[in-house]
Amino acid sequence: MKKLARFFFLIFLVVIFCTACKGDINREIRHAGFGMTGEFSCSKFLPSDKNDTSYEKIRYMTGNHIITKEGKIYELSLTQKFANNDNCKEAGGDITVQAMFDSNIVKGTDGKYYYLVAQNNTPVYTEVTELDNSYELYNLLLSDTDIIKVTTVDSSSGLYYVLKTDGNVYSYVIAKDDYNSPLAIKEIVTAYSSSQYGQIIDYNFAGNNLSTFILSENKLYRMQITNLEECNKYADVDCKYELKEEPIYEKYKDIIISYNGSMLITDYGQIFSVAS
């Protein structure tokens, strides 16, 4: 009986200790400019214990989907769970993602392009054909096998950011010589260099917006307001933005399973949203 009592006492201490640790981490993340906004339940992406490394790793997270490092697609719902009682479920079909264009088009390892979200009357995960008015653009920017992510910066001026496997983000300018000419890449310059930020694995560009970020293998740089108190207090003071390193990421990168510019998720299922 005494052994059983000691066993439950040890379990109690472990639970209390782990809860305290999570509380400390939560406070530090909140102090870094994040707000606690919910719980993430999806066993595929959460370790069962501190020694578990078999869970699937997240490569990209959009508002409606998770793309794993192996290219598998999961549907995501944070406001309402699926019938499996999780916030995620495997998508139908057998698409393995090689690259993504914004958050609505993906390139499969089969070299074909697919809709990640439904387009007009076209169902999700349907192949994009040449009948799509944007097919020429998708093909121009995604056909290179070194390209793994493309985002639209300014479609009117033909400006796109492109992440390649070399860990650099490039600025592409796309244009036509005349109305009857095909689209062509007119300019390529480096937007974010791996020599400055480290090997870049993900990014988002939204200008002077808190959702702009650069994520390398070991560090996170995110857009932050440098005069938050003043610009919140005074109507005639504009907010000033700067892309700054986020120390909290490097400290807790082993427990952060996803960051997408607006949301951070820990391996114990706590969701944080960018607040400042």
Side-chain angles (χ1 to χ4, degrees):
M1 195 71 179
K2 290 182 178 179
K3 289 183 178 180
L4 187 62
R6 283 198 296 269
F7 172 77
F8 282 113
F9 180 69
L10 288 172
I11 293 296
F12 173 76
L13 288 179
V14 169
V15 170
I16 293 297
F17 178 74
C18 291
T19 302
C21 287
K22 292 174 184 177
D24 291 341
I25 295 169
N26 289 345
R27 279 190 291 273
E28 287 195 57
I29 295 176
R30 288 173 61 199
H31 290 160
F34 297 83
M36 295 173 63
T37 53
E39 299 289 332
F40 177 68
S41 174
C42 191
S43 57
K44 291 284 187 179
F45 301 104
L46 298 174
S48 57
D49 56 52
K50 65 178 183 179
N51 298 314
D52 180 19
T53 59
S54 62
Y55 61 96
E56 294 198 54
K57 309 304 189 294
I58 297 172
R59 182 179 179 186
Y60 304 127
M61 179 181 284
T62 71
N64 299 304
H65 292 90
I66 291 172
I67 310 295
T68 72
K69 288 189 175 181
E70 290 73 33
K72 292 174 64 176
I73 302 175
Y74 285 82
E75 294 181 357
L76 177 68
S77 173
L78 294 177
T79 56
Q80 185 177 19
K81 290 183 178 181
F82 294 106
N84 62 5
N85 206 35
D86 269 346
N87 295 120
C88 69
K89 69 173 185 177
E90 284 194 56
D94 55 359
I95 303 169
T96 301
V97 176
Q98 179 177 316
M100 184 165 65
F101 192 111
D102 290 335
S103 58
N104 56 352
I105 300 292
V106 293
K107 177 186 178 181
T109 53
D110 57 5
K112 298 177 181 179
Y113 311 123
Y114 298 91
Y115 297 106
L116 194 57
V117 296
Q119 304 277 327
N120 298 322
N121 295 321
T122 306
V124 65
Y125 312 131
T126 303
E127 181 183 346
V128 181
T129 70
E130 294 184 24
L131 296 176
D132 188 301
N133 292 331
S134 298
Y135 181 88
E136 185 183 11
L137 176 65
Y138 301 149
N139 193 50
L140 180 64
L141 287 170
L142 294 174
S143 59
D144 185 344
T145 56
D146 291 334
I147 292 174
I148 54 178
K149 184 175 182 179
V150 178
T151 54
T152 304
V153 176
D154 185 352
S155 58
S156 61
S157 62
L159 180 59
Y160 300 86
Y161 277 2
V162 174
L163 173 61
K164 289 191 173 185
T165 54
D166 64 3
N168 295 301
V169 175
Y170 297 91
S171 172
Y172 278 43
V173 176
I174 308 297
K176 289 185 175 186
D177 290 329
D178 55 59
Y179 182 79
N180 296 315
S181 300
L183 282 174
I185 300 170
K186 298 298 183 180
E187 181 183 20
I188 301 176
V189 296
T190 303
Y192 302 123
S193 171
S194 59
S195 63
Q196 180 178 359
Y197 297 101
Q199 185 83 4
I200 299 170
I201 57 176
D202 195 12
Y203 75 98
N204 182 59
F205 180 81
N208 287 336
N209 187 290
L210 298 180
S211 64
T212 293
F213 75 94
I214 300 169
L215 180 62
S216 72
E217 292 178 330
N218 296 304
K219 295 185 177 184
L220 168 66
Y221 299 83
R222 67 183 185 93
M223 195 68 77
Q224 298 181 53
I225 301 173
T226 58
N227 62 336
L228 182 63
E229 184 176 346
E230 292 82 359
C231 77
N232 279 344
K233 185 176 181 179
Y234 301 111
D236 57 345
V237 174
D238 293 331
C239 293
K240 297 178 181 178
Y241 294 84
E242 183 181 344
L243 194 61
K244 301 175 64 176
E245 183 181 344
E246 177 53 78
I248 206 71
Y249 181 85
E250 188 171 8
K251 183 174 183 178
Y252 291 120
K253 65 180 186 296
D254 291 336
I255 68 164
I256 295 172
I257 62 169
S258 179
Y259 181 80
N260 68 356
S262 60
M263 184 169 55
L264 180 153
I265 302 178
T266 67
D267 66 0
Y268 51 89
Q270 182 63 57
I271 302 173
F272 297 85
S273 293
V274 174
S276 62

